[in-house]
């Protein structure tokens, strides 16, 4: 494993001794808030600070008393998987008054609290900033009134850090707010269920989702389920939209589709500011088309349920980052909000984000809709463009080139969404699309056929690989594959798959010297549950697998509820890559995770057992240990199970579970559907560009390194990288990248499990600005 860089900063220099941090949740609740509260409490205690809960949001701060309680390590146990917020949230009119804030200041300063971590929406965070600005004045007033002794007036500065908890994802400056991904899970679960009944009866369903001022949930769920029509407040439909929508629904039915889905944001408006309700849309469809139509209003279902793996990880990272920000803050540091950008946590000035969020609403009020979409951010804009590209069939244009798409390697949820996106974007760009069944095995056998727009309808929500996928590499069948490419005049290749897909592209690149047929643009989109493809921080399918692991771990832990103390040893997939085990462990609240990338020996195992035994004696009832399947040849899952069983005798008993292929199955998560859709659309646009560039003298000829690429997520950007350049970054023996970003999350997991460790904060501490966060043309958000 790579040794830590001497330039890296570790947070041991940052001490919380003598500091008091309070955490509160305010405004509407959101799944994942509890994970954020847990992370703030445990990180705060870890650095030596006192940590307090403020129950019932700002109301609890104003009322004081038992609403402000000191938190302990144990007080946040078993809350990671709980939805909503266990410390309560309430709207508070009194805090909006000067008198209310005076009471709140008095209650805080009596306990020495001068550091506030606020989890809420833009209203809650704006209130916190006003409180911070008035703080010294409020303290002066309390001293004058004799309510505060001069000795306590030393707490002259209040430090604020915000985390955005909102299912609407309506806050500018962050790709995803805490709770949004879980809300999308609830919506997609309902849509998937509705689709089966709608198909049975040939019905049209109008679904109303939350989003009074922001259409993110409606837009992304429409992308994730392939809805026929979507109505959002940021982009009201043009006049005459009613006829266009009915024509679209009618055309879809005439092609043999048995159902239609229309998604309406609760705040949807027309161009004149008149609300478009779900009942109005239903009546319109019935009147114009006579279709059997039903309305489903999802309501508060979207706020409920357990948080998704993404929200747990996001909230845990944000909570730790918030504590670090509070430790580093000075009297002159502006209040900041901890945000997600790409797969990185960043700090942004709170009021810059609030002002940008308010500008969006102002643009919408003034009917500057194009500007409102841009102000929402590149992620929102990309989602809207991609939806328009895929949902509305373009007129048949002159067919320019033949493009083949295939899946290679093990199946991964989201592959079908990627294929659908590629096929429809390809047809929109004027190409003839060919589907290859069973990967390169099907390629050399000639299992190639043209695939049309309607052929991929309904593919987005399907798990596995509908095209069929095999691990066969092309090297032994180059002659036959070249012959098939000649026969079908294939001008470009889009390969969707895992490590085998990467190896396949390297083999085809090498074969270019012998076969001109491979001198065509080739691009790979990473899709594997193991997330072990070099050149990309994330792969299609990994999020679905993480959710499967997290949900199963929740159920396994719950199975021991009310029984004697028990430790579960769980084996995950991933080959030699410890991504699923490590990140799954963070999301499920594991006590220890064993992976290949971080070698361990019998002393480490013994130390872990002793640590867990100590915790079991005093605090927790259930323990969770994850092991990656290839983490060690000798310390197998059975060995670890037997070791823990023996050493924990008298304190806890053990059970073991091998999760196996259930991690590869199931319907894709909203994240994987959208990541697959967007990354594949971008890959097809790159292919179109390369085909034009390399078309000379009546044929396509591409033999440069940059015509055989992998499209991957790198930190904050989607980047095309020549596969040959990725060879040096790859450990081919163990089929993993030499450097993996998620290893930085392992210390975070250990800290939250009460281990002493070093946490690299070299990426933290930089206060950025919202305007600087506008990505370049090549960049795109990893969040949906």
């Amino acid at each position: 494993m790579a040794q830590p860089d001497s330039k890296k900063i570790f947070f041991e220099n940052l001490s919380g001794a003598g500091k008091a941090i309070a955490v509160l949740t305010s405004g509407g609740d959101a799944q994942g808030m509890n994970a954020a509260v847990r992370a703030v409490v445990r990180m705060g205690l870890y650095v030596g600070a006192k940590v307090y809960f403020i129950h019932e949001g700002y109301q609890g701060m104003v009322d004081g008393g038992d609403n402000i309680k000191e938190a302990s390590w144990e007080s946040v146990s078993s809350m990671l998987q709980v939805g909503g917020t266990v410390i309560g949230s309430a709207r508070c009119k009194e805090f909006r008054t000067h008198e209310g804030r005076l009471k709140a200041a008095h209650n805080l300063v009596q306990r020495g609290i001068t550091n506030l971590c606020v989890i809420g929406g833009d209203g809650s965070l704006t209130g916190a900033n006003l409180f911070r600005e008035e703080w010294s004045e409020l303290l002066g007033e309390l001293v004058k009134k004799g309510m505060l002794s001069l000795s306590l007036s030393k707490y002259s500065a209040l430090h604020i850090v915000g985390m955005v908890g909102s299912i609407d994802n309506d806050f500018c400056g962050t790709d995803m707010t805490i709770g949004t991904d879980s809300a999308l899970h609830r919506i997609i679960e309902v849509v998937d269920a509705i689709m089966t009944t709608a198909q049975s009866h040939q019905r049209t369903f109008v679904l109303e989702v939350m989003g009074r001022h922001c259409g993110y949930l409606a837009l992304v769920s429409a992308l994730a389920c392939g809805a026929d029509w979507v109505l959002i407040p940021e982009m009201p439909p043009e006049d005459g939209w009613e006829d266009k929508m009915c024509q679209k629904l009618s055309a879809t039915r005439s092609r043999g589709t048995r159902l239609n889905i229309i998604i309406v944001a609760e705040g949807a408006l027309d161009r004149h500011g008149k609300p478009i309700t779900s009942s109005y849309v239903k009546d319109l469809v019935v009147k114009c088309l006579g279709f059997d139509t039903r309305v489903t209003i999802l309501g508060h279902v979207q706020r409920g349920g357990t948080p998704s793996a993404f929200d747990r990880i996001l909230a845990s990272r944000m909570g730790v980052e918030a504590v670090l920000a509070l430790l580093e803050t000075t009297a002159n540091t502006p209040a900041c909000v901890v945000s997600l950008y790409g797969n990185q946590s960043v700090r942004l000035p709170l009021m810059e984000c609030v002002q940008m969020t308010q500008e969006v609403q102002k643009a919408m009020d003034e009917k500057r809709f194009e500007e409102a979409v841009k102000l929402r951010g590149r992620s929102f804009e990309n989602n809207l463009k991609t939806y328009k590209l895929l949902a509305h069939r373009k007129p048949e244009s002159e067919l320019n080139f033949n493009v083949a798409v295939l899946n290679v390697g093990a199946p991964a949820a989201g592959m079908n969404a990627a294929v659908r996106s590629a096929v429809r974007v390809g047809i929109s760009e004027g190409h003839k699309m060919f589907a290859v069944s069973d990967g390169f095995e099907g390629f050399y056998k000639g299992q190639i056929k043209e695939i049309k727009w309607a052929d991929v309808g309904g593919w987005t929500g399907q798990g596995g690989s509908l095209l069929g996928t095999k691990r066969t590499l092309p090297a032994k069948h180059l002659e036959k594959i070249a012959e098939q490419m000649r026969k079908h005049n294939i001008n470009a290749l889009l390969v969707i798959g895992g490590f085998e897909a990467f190896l396949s592209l390297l083999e085809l690149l090498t074969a270019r010297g012998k076969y001109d047929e491979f001198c065509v643009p080739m691009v790979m989109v990473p899709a594997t549950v193991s997330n072990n493809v070099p050149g990309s921080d994330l792969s299609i399918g990994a999020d679905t697998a993480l959710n499967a692991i997290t949900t199963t771990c929740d159920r396994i832990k719950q199975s021991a509820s009310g029984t004697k103390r028990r430790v579960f040893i769980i084996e995950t997939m991933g080959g030699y890559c410890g991504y699923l085990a490590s990140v799954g462990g963070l999301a499920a609240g594991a006590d220890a995770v064993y992976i290949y990338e971080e070698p361990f020996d019998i002393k480490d195992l013994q130390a872990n057992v002793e640590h867990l035994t100590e915790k079991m004696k005093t605090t927790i009832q259930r323990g969770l240990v994850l092991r990656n399947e290839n983490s060690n040849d000798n310390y197998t899952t059975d060995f670890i199970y037997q070791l823990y069983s023996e050493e924990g005798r008298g304190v806890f008993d053990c059970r073991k579970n091998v999760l196996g292929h259930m991690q590869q199955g199931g319907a894709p998560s909203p994240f994987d559907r959208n990541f697959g859709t967007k990354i594949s659309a971008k890959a097809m646009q790159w292919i179109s560009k390369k085909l034009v560039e390399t078309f000379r003298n009546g044929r396509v000829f591409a033999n440069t390194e940059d015509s055989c690429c992998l499209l991957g997520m790198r930190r904050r950007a989607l980047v095309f990288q020549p596969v040959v350049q990725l060879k040096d970054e790859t450990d081919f023996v163990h089929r993993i990248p030499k450097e993996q970003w998620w290893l930085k999350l392992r210390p975070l997991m250990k800290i939250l499990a009460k281990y002493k460790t070093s946490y690299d904060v070299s990426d933290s501490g930089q206060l950025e600005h919202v305007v600087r966060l506008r990505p370049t043309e090549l960049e795109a958000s990893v969040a949906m």
Side-chain angles (χ1 to χ4, degrees):
M1 233 173 91
Q3 292 300 309
D5 187 332
S6 59
K7 292 180 184 174
K8 285 182 180 174
I9 311 157
F10 294 94
F11 77 82
E12 281 88 340
N13 316 332
L14 302 170
S15 171
K19 292 194 176 187
I21 298 169
V23 58
L24 72 143
T25 54
S26 176
D29 67 313
Q31 308 96 319
M33 279 183 165
N34 290 326
V37 170
R38 171 180 176 267
V40 169
V41 169
R42 291 195 166 176
M43 188 64 174
L45 293 172
Y46 188 85
V47 296
K50 270 188 176 182
V51 187
Y52 291 85
F53 294 130
I54 300 178
H55 291 271
E56 312 308 334
Y58 287 118
Q59 190 65 57
M61 196 191 293
V62 171
D63 294 343
D66 285 344
N67 287 305
I68 305 174
K69 288 182 181 173
E70 191 169 348
S72 66
W73 194 275
E74 297 76 39
S75 60
V76 291
S77 292
S78 302
M79 67 191 285
L80 186 61
Q81 68 273 22
V82 180
T85 163
V86 297
I87 59 171
S89 179
R91 314 275 179 191
C92 181
K93 287 183 180 176
E94 201 176 349
F95 189 75
R96 294 178 186 174
T97 66
H98 180 78
E99 196 56 42
R101 291 192 292 277
L102 192 67
K103 284 183 189 175
H106 185 234
N107 288 327
L108 292 186
V109 82
Q110 277 184 319
R111 294 163 177 82
I113 298 168
T114 55
N115 296 280
L116 264 189
C117 186
V118 181
I119 308 164
D122 61 332
S124 305
L125 299 180
T126 304
N129 190 61
L130 174 63
F131 191 40
R132 183 188 73 90
E133 288 172 349
E134 289 183 351
W135 180 259
S136 55
E137 186 187 314
L138 292 169
L139 260 56
E141 201 173 323
L142 289 169
V143 171
K144 272 185 193 172
K145 288 184 175 181
M147 295 168 70
L148 185 67
S149 69
L150 281 169
S151 63
L152 287 177
S153 63
K154 64 184 178 183
Y155 303 116
S156 57
L158 178 69
H159 307 299
I160 301 278
V161 172
M163 284 183 273
V164 192
S166 162
I167 67 165
D168 292 335
N169 204 30
D170 56 355
F171 193 80
C172 292
T174 186
D175 286 343
M176 288 286 273
T177 56
I178 295 166
T180 304
D181 187 62
S182 301
L184 285 168
H185 272 259
R186 298 299 92 78
I187 295 168
I188 294 306
E189 283 161 13
V190 171
V191 173
D192 286 352
I194 276 175
M195 276 179 154
T196 56
T197 180
Q199 203 148 22
S200 301
H201 298 279
Q202 296 194 60
R203 280 183 177 145
T204 295
F205 269 86
V206 182
L207 273 85
E208 184 181 300
V209 301
M210 283 184 166
R212 206 174 313 132
H213 303 293
C214 178
Y216 186 88
L217 288 179
L219 177 59
V220 174
S221 53
L223 253 183
C225 71
D228 297 285
W229 204 267
V230 65
L231 294 157
I232 59 172
E234 289 86 349
M235 188 52 71
E238 300 287 347
D239 291 343
W241 65 272
E242 295 94 337
D243 291 338
K244 287 178 184 171
M245 182 185 77
C246 290
Q247 285 166 14
K248 165 84 191 301
L249 299 181
S250 181
T252 307
R253 286 289 178 98
S254 67
R255 290 196 294 270
T257 304
R258 292 176 59 85
L259 77 156
N260 299 109
I261 299 286
I262 300 164
I263 295 184
V264 184
E266 63 178 326
L269 304 164
D270 67 14
R271 291 267 154 179
H272 309 288
K274 182 184 169 190
I276 301 173
T277 64
S278 48
S279 56
Y280 174 75
V281 175
K282 176 208 164 181
D283 294 342
L284 184 70
V285 175
V286 172
K287 182 184 169 188
C288 295
L289 299 171
F291 291 171
D292 185 2
T293 306
R294 298 283 191 274
V295 171
T296 299
I297 298 172
L298 270 65
H300 284 74
V301 162
Q302 295 157 87
R303 284 197 192 279
T306 57
S308 66
F310 183 98
D311 273 330
R312 298 183 198 195
I313 296 154
L314 171 66
S316 298
R317 291 177 71 185
M318 298 298 101
V320 168
E321 184 70 23
V323 172
L324 294 176
L326 285 171
L327 293 181
E328 292 172 7
T329 195
T330 66
N332 301 319
T333 310
C336 77
V337 63
V338 179
S339 299
L340 177 77
Y341 192 62
N343 68 0
Q344 285 188 288
S345 52
V346 294
R347 300 176 197 170
L348 300 170
L350 190 153
M351 289 317 294
E352 276 187 26
C353 296
V354 169
Q355 282 156 15
M356 181 78 83
T357 305
Q358 290 167 349
E359 277 178 42
V360 177
Q361 190 57 50
K362 190 181 175 193
M364 286 160 61
D365 293 341
E366 294 172 1
K367 296 185 169 56
R368 293 180 282 118
F369 300 116
E370 300 280 348
E371 193 178 332
V373 169
K374 283 188 166 61
L375 287 167
R376 277 273 180 242
R378 176 69 70 170
S379 174
F380 189 93
E381 199 177 358
N382 279 348
N383 284 321
L384 189 57
K385 282 179 183 171
T386 309
Y387 177 78
K388 286 178 177 176
L389 199 61
L390 298 173
H392 305 295
R393 188 172 185 175
K394 308 298 177 293
E396 293 288 334
S397 58
E398 189 181 331
L399 299 173
N400 299 318
F401 300 103
N402 295 348
V403 180
V405 58
L406 65 157
N407 294 335
V408 176
M415 273 183 165
N416 298 319
V419 172
R420 170 186 175 267
S421 175
V423 167
R424 292 196 168 178
V425 173
I427 291 169
S428 295
E429 305 258 316
H431 309 313
K432 190 184 255 189
M433 299 299 296
F434 286 85
V436 182
S437 300
D438 297 335
F440 283 106
E441 189 173 310
F443 211 136
Y444 82 80
K445 289 177 179 176
Q447 295 171 4
I448 303 166
K449 63 174 184 178
E450 189 182 349
I451 188 165
K452 300 286 186 70
W453 185 281
D455 295 337
V456 290
W459 279 34
T460 317
Q462 300 284 322
S465 166
L466 293 173
L467 283 186
T469 181
K470 294 278 176 75
R471 295 179 184 271
T472 309
L473 297 177
K476 293 178 182 175
H477 313 284
L478 292 170
E479 184 78 51
K480 289 181 180 176
I481 293 170
E483 185 187 321
Q484 291 296 333
M485 289 189 73
R486 250 193 329 275
K487 180 181 171 184
H488 295 277
N489 189 26
I490 302 297
N491 305 122
L493 276 183
L494 171 60
V495 183
I496 300 163
F499 203 86
E500 290 86 359
F502 172 62
L503 294 175
S504 298
L505 251 61
L506 285 171
E507 289 179 3
L508 294 178
L509 182 70
T510 306
R512 277 179 170 178
K514 190 174 178 184
Y515 302 98
D516 279 358
E517 289 81 2
F518 301 134
C519 293
V520 296
M522 294 186 275
V523 65
M524 174 196 161
V525 168
T528 168
V529 300
S530 302
N531 197 33
N532 64 331
V533 177
S536 190
D537 292 346
L538 289 169
S539 299
I540 299 165
D543 183 70
T544 305
L546 277 178
N547 278 290
I549 292 166
T550 306
T551 305
T552 308
C553 287
D554 287 350
R555 288 179 179 175
I556 286 171
K557 284 203 290 185
Q558 197 176 37
S559 72
S561 179
T563 67
K564 58 184 177 179
R565 294 184 176 94
R566 183 165 286 167
V567 172
F568 294 96
I569 315 294
I570 294 173
E571 183 185 296
T572 67
M573 290 174 104
Y576 285 95
C577 180
Y579 175 82
L580 287 181
S582 295
V583 183
L586 180 58
D591 296 281
V593 175
Y594 301 112
I595 60 169
Y596 166 77
E597 292 91 342
E598 198 171 276
F600 57 95
D601 57 24
I602 195 70
K603 289 178 185 171
D604 297 315
L605 289 169
Q606 184 64 36
N608 292 154
V609 175
E610 288 169 4
H611 183 265
L612 195 50
T613 305
E614 201 57 42
K615 277 167 65 176
M616 281 285 190
K617 283 177 181 173
T618 56
T619 58
I620 62 171
Q621 295 291 314
R622 287 157 287 174
L624 188 66
V625 175
L626 268 62
R627 177 188 174 274
N628 169 246
E629 59 185 346
N630 289 345
S631 55
N632 190 290
D633 290 339
N634 297 312
Y635 300 133
T636 62
T637 304
D638 281 333
F639 179 91
I640 292 172
Y641 162 68
Q642 287 164 0
L643 178 73
Y644 273 74
S645 296
E646 182 59 36
E647 296 298 318
R649 193 187 296 276
V651 179
F652 58 80
D653 65 0
C654 274
R655 296 289 184 274
K656 66 173 178 180
N657 292 78
V658 177
L659 299 185
H661 283 77
M662 55 88 62
Q663 295 161 87
Q664 275 184 340
S669 67
F671 186 100
D672 278 330
R673 296 182 196 203
N674 290 300
F675 187 46
T677 298
K678 293 199 321 192
I679 197 171
S680 200
K682 198 167 191 69
M684 273 309 304
Q685 288 168 332
W686 177 88
I687 282 176
S688 295
K689 183 168 165 264
K690 284 290 175 190
L691 284 168
V692 172
E693 286 174 8
T694 58
F695 186 70
R696 295 285 182 275
N697 304 319
R699 62 170 289 201
V700 172
F701 188 81
N703 66 346
T704 55
E705 282 183 2
D706 67 353
S707 64
C708 182
C709 283
L710 179 146
L711 173 56
M713 167 56 61
R714 280 288 177 97
R715 289 168 73 88
R716 299 184 180 186
L718 280 173
V719 185
F720 290 95
Q721 304 143 97
V723 290
V724 71
Q725 291 177 17
L726 295 172
K727 285 169 80 171
D728 291 340
E729 298 178 20
T730 308
D731 174 353
F732 285 96
V733 175
H734 299 102
R735 297 158 61 92
I736 53 173
K738 288 178 181 172
E739 286 191 16
Q740 301 183 89
W741 69 274
W742 52 265
L743 285 167
K744 285 186 177 181
L745 300 182
R746 282 185 62 78
L748 189 152
M749 184 205 71
K750 291 177 184 176
I751 287 165
L752 298 180
K754 217 172 182 178
Y755 284 92
K756 287 289 177 191
T757 186
S758 293
Y759 181 52
D760 174 14
V761 294
S762 55
D763 287 340
S764 302
Q766 293 299 313
L767 192 66
E768 304 194 17
H769 293 280
V770 183
V771 286
R772 278 185 51 219
L773 284 179
R774 291 297 174 84
T776 62
E777 192 58 38
L778 254 185
E779 290 181 322
S781 164
V782 65
M784 299 242 235

Short mmCIF file of all heavy atoms in Angstrom, two decimals, residues 489-511:
data_model
loop_
_atom_site.label_atom_id
_atom_site.label_comp_id
_atom_site.label_asym_id
_atom_site.label_seq_id
_atom_site.Cartn_x
_atom_site.Cartn_y
_atom_site.Cartn_z
N ASN A 489 -20.08 -3.42 -41.02
CA ASN A 489 -19.52 -2.07 -41.21
C ASN A 489 -19.59 -1.24 -39.92
O ASN A 489 -20.10 -0.12 -39.89
CB ASN A 489 -20.26 -1.35 -42.35
CG ASN A 489 -19.57 -0.05 -42.74
OD1 ASN A 489 -18.36 0.10 -42.56
ND2 ASN A 489 -20.34 0.91 -43.24
N ILE A 490 -19.08 -1.83 -38.83
CA ILE A 490 -19.09 -1.14 -37.53
C ILE A 490 -18.03 -0.04 -37.53
O ILE A 490 -16.84 -0.31 -37.73
CB ILE A 490 -18.84 -2.14 -36.37
CG1 ILE A 490 -19.88 -3.26 -36.36
CG2 ILE A 490 -18.82 -1.41 -35.03
CD1 ILE A 490 -21.31 -2.83 -36.13
N ASN A 491 -18.47 1.20 -37.28
CA ASN A 491 -17.56 2.36 -37.31
C ASN A 491 -17.10 2.82 -35.94
O ASN A 491 -16.22 3.67 -35.83
CB ASN A 491 -18.24 3.54 -38.01
CG ASN A 491 -18.75 3.20 -39.39
OD1 ASN A 491 -19.93 3.32 -39.68
ND2 ASN A 491 -17.85 2.75 -40.27
N ALA A 492 -17.72 2.31 -34.87
CA ALA A 492 -17.33 2.70 -33.51
C ALA A 492 -17.86 1.68 -32.51
O ALA A 492 -18.84 0.98 -32.79
CB ALA A 492 -17.88 4.09 -33.17
N LEU A 493 -17.20 1.59 -31.36
CA LEU A 493 -17.58 0.63 -30.31
C LEU A 493 -17.79 1.34 -28.98
O LEU A 493 -16.95 2.15 -28.55
CB LEU A 493 -16.47 -0.39 -30.10
CG LEU A 493 -16.37 -1.63 -31.00
CD1 LEU A 493 -15.23 -2.49 -30.51
CD2 LEU A 493 -17.68 -2.41 -31.00
N LEU A 494 -18.91 1.02 -28.32
CA LEU A 494 -19.13 1.46 -26.94
C LEU A 494 -19.21 0.21 -26.08
O LEU A 494 -20.09 -0.64 -26.27
CB LEU A 494 -20.43 2.27 -26.82
CG LEU A 494 -20.88 2.60 -25.39
CD1 LEU A 494 -19.82 3.43 -24.66
CD2 LEU A 494 -22.20 3.36 -25.39
N VAL A 495 -18.25 0.07 -25.17
CA VAL A 495 -18.17 -1.12 -24.30
C VAL A 495 -18.54 -0.71 -22.88
O VAL A 495 -17.93 0.20 -22.31
CB VAL A 495 -16.75 -1.73 -24.33
CG1 VAL A 495 -16.71 -3.00 -23.49
CG2 VAL A 495 -16.32 -2.02 -25.76
N ILE A 496 -19.55 -1.36 -22.33
CA ILE A 496 -20.01 -1.06 -20.97
C ILE A 496 -19.68 -2.27 -20.10
O ILE A 496 -20.18 -3.37 -20.34
CB ILE A 496 -21.54 -0.80 -20.96
CG1 ILE A 496 -21.88 0.40 -21.85
CG2 ILE A 496 -22.04 -0.56 -19.54
CD1 ILE A 496 -23.35 0.49 -22.23
N GLY A 497 -18.79 -2.09 -19.12
CA GLY A 497 -18.40 -3.24 -18.31
C GLY A 497 -17.34 -2.93 -17.29
O GLY A 497 -16.99 -1.76 -17.07
N GLY A 498 -16.81 -3.98 -16.67
CA GLY A 498 -15.83 -3.84 -15.59
C GLY A 498 -14.40 -4.01 -16.06
O GLY A 498 -14.03 -3.60 -17.16
N PHE A 499 -13.59 -4.67 -15.23
CA PHE A 499 -12.16 -4.79 -15.51
C PHE A 499 -11.91 -5.54 -16.82
O PHE A 499 -10.97 -5.22 -17.56
CB PHE A 499 -11.45 -5.50 -14.35
CG PHE A 499 -9.99 -5.20 -14.28
CD1 PHE A 499 -9.52 -4.09 -13.61
CD2 PHE A 499 -9.05 -6.03 -14.89
CE1 PHE A 499 -8.16 -3.80 -13.54
CE2 PHE A 499 -7.69 -5.76 -14.83
CZ PHE A 499 -7.24 -4.63 -14.15
N GLU A 500 -12.78 -6.51 -17.13
CA GLU A 500 -12.63 -7.25 -18.40
C GLU A 500 -12.81 -6.33 -19.60
O GLU A 500 -12.16 -6.49 -20.63
CB GLU A 500 -13.65 -8.40 -18.50
CG GLU A 500 -13.39 -9.55 -17.56
CD GLU A 500 -14.00 -9.34 -16.19
OE1 GLU A 500 -14.61 -8.27 -15.96
OE2 GLU A 500 -13.86 -10.24 -15.34
N ALA A 501 -13.71 -5.35 -19.46
CA ALA A 501 -13.92 -4.38 -20.55
C ALA A 501 -12.66 -3.55 -20.77
O ALA A 501 -12.27 -3.26 -21.91
CB ALA A 501 -15.11 -3.48 -20.22
N PHE A 502 -12.01 -3.17 -19.67
CA PHE A 502 -10.76 -2.41 -19.74
C PHE A 502 -9.67 -3.24 -20.44
O PHE A 502 -8.99 -2.76 -21.35
CB PHE A 502 -10.33 -2.02 -18.32
CG PHE A 502 -8.97 -1.39 -18.21
CD1 PHE A 502 -8.67 -0.19 -18.85
CD2 PHE A 502 -7.96 -2.01 -17.48
CE1 PHE A 502 -7.41 0.39 -18.74
CE2 PHE A 502 -6.70 -1.45 -17.36
CZ PHE A 502 -6.43 -0.24 -18.00
N LEU A 503 -9.53 -4.52 -20.04
CA LEU A 503 -8.55 -5.40 -20.68
C LEU A 503 -8.88 -5.60 -22.16
O LEU A 503 -7.98 -5.64 -23.01
CB LEU A 503 -8.53 -6.77 -19.97
CG LEU A 503 -8.05 -6.80 -18.52
CD1 LEU A 503 -8.21 -8.20 -17.93
CD2 LEU A 503 -6.58 -6.36 -18.42
N SER A 504 -10.18 -5.70 -22.47
CA SER A 504 -10.61 -5.89 -23.86
C SER A 504 -10.19 -4.73 -24.74
O SER A 504 -9.69 -4.93 -25.86
CB SER A 504 -12.13 -6.05 -23.92
OG SER A 504 -12.55 -7.17 -23.19
N LEU A 505 -10.36 -3.52 -24.24
CA LEU A 505 -9.98 -2.35 -25.04
C LEU A 505 -8.47 -2.30 -25.26
O LEU A 505 -8.01 -1.92 -26.35
CB LEU A 505 -10.47 -1.06 -24.37
CG LEU A 505 -11.63 -0.37 -25.11
CD1 LEU A 505 -12.84 -1.28 -25.19
CD2 LEU A 505 -12.01 0.95 -24.46
N LEU A 506 -7.71 -2.70 -24.23
CA LEU A 506 -6.25 -2.75 -24.39
C LEU A 506 -5.87 -3.76 -25.47
O LEU A 506 -4.97 -3.51 -26.30
CB LEU A 506 -5.58 -3.12 -23.06
CG LEU A 506 -5.52 -2.03 -21.99
CD1 LEU A 506 -5.01 -2.61 -20.67
CD2 LEU A 506 -4.61 -0.88 -22.43
N GLU A 507 -6.56 -4.91 -25.50
CA GLU A 507 -6.27 -5.94 -26.51
C GLU A 507 -6.65 -5.47 -27.92
O GLU A 507 -5.91 -5.70 -28.88
CB GLU A 507 -7.03 -7.23 -26.17
CG GLU A 507 -6.46 -7.93 -24.93
CD GLU A 507 -7.21 -9.21 -24.54
OE1 GLU A 507 -8.15 -9.59 -25.27
OE2 GLU A 507 -6.84 -9.82 -23.52
N LEU A 508 -7.78 -4.81 -28.05
CA LEU A 508 -8.21 -4.30 -29.37
C LEU A 508 -7.27 -3.20 -29.85
O LEU A 508 -6.97 -3.10 -31.05
CB LEU A 508 -9.64 -3.77 -29.30
CG LEU A 508 -10.74 -4.80 -29.03
CD1 LEU A 508 -12.10 -4.13 -28.93
CD2 LEU A 508 -10.77 -5.87 -30.13
N LEU A 509 -6.80 -2.38 -28.90
CA LEU A 509 -5.86 -1.32 -29.25
C LEU A 509 -4.57 -1.92 -29.80
O LEU A 509 -4.03 -1.47 -30.82
CB LEU A 509 -5.58 -0.46 -28.02
CG LEU A 509 -4.64 0.74 -28.20
CD1 LEU A 509 -5.30 1.82 -29.03
CD2 LEU A 509 -4.23 1.32 -26.84
N THR A 510 -4.07 -2.96 -29.13
CA THR A 510 -2.84 -3.64 -29.57
C THR A 510 -3.03 -4.27 -30.95
O THR A 510 -2.10 -4.30 -31.77
CB THR A 510 -2.45 -4.73 -28.54
OG1 THR A 510 -2.37 -4.13 -27.25
CG2 THR A 510 -1.12 -5.36 -28.88
N ALA A 511 -4.25 -4.77 -31.22
CA ALA A 511 -4.53 -5.46 -32.48
C ALA A 511 -4.70 -4.52 -33.67
O ALA A 511 -4.82 -4.98 -34.81
CB ALA A 511 -5.79 -6.32 -32.32
#
